[in-house]
Amino acid sequence: MDISGNVGSVLNQKVTSLWSIEPTLTVYEAIEMMAAKGVGALPVMHEGRLMGMISERDYTRKVILKGKSSRSTPVSEIMTAEPIVASPSDSVVECMAIMTERRIRHLPVLQDGAIIGIISIGDLVKWIMSAQTATIDQLTKYMYGE
């Protein structure tokens, strides 16, 4: 495992499904789905096209703090439109830098315009830690033998 791996490799290590929500559904329905699926963000999709992202952070900052009702506010009103995206060939290090700099926790991954997955900051940290552990193991074996 190489620390400079790419997003495609990270996605191949994940064993999760991709859930999404329509922009016309309510924020309550989005939060309900996130809770049921154990995720912190959902891609907002319409007719197979990525329209945006909605996260728990969007909910707290754009609904709760503004006194809106999650049961009547449509997802489209609070989603992050035109989200930053990654491609399978983007490097782990590059995506980690983007996510840190932009203070985002989830990146949709697009290939040929279609969403093929989502990577989280946690996925990237896990990848980097595994790569470092593998490197340390290899160096230890080299120095001390099998």
Side-chain angles (χ1 to χ4, degrees), residues 6 15 42 85 114 119 136 145:
N6 63 32
V15 218
L42 291 169
V85 299
I119 56 169
I136 291 168

Side-chain angles (χ1 to χ4, degrees), residues 38 41-42 45 47 50 65 69 81-82 103 111 125 127-128 144:
L42 291 169
M45 306 285 294
E47 296 178 355
L50 179 65
L65 291 177
S69 168
E82 299 179 27
R103 297 183 180 265
Q111 185 170 33
V125 168
W127 177 269
I128 290 169
Y144 300 107

Side-chain angles (χ1 to χ4, degrees), residues 91-109:
S91 78
V92 168
V93 173
E94 178 182 55
C95 288
M96 179 68 90
I98 290 168
M99 293 171 88
T100 302
E101 181 180 302
R102 298 289 193 102
R103 297 183 180 265
I104 56 176
R105 297 180 188 148
H106 303 89
L107 278 179
V109 181

Side-chain angles (χ1 to χ4, degrees), residues 19 32-41 56:
W19 297 283
E32 192 173 49
M33 182 183 286
M34 285 184 231
K37 304 301 184 187
V39 297
E56 294 165 331

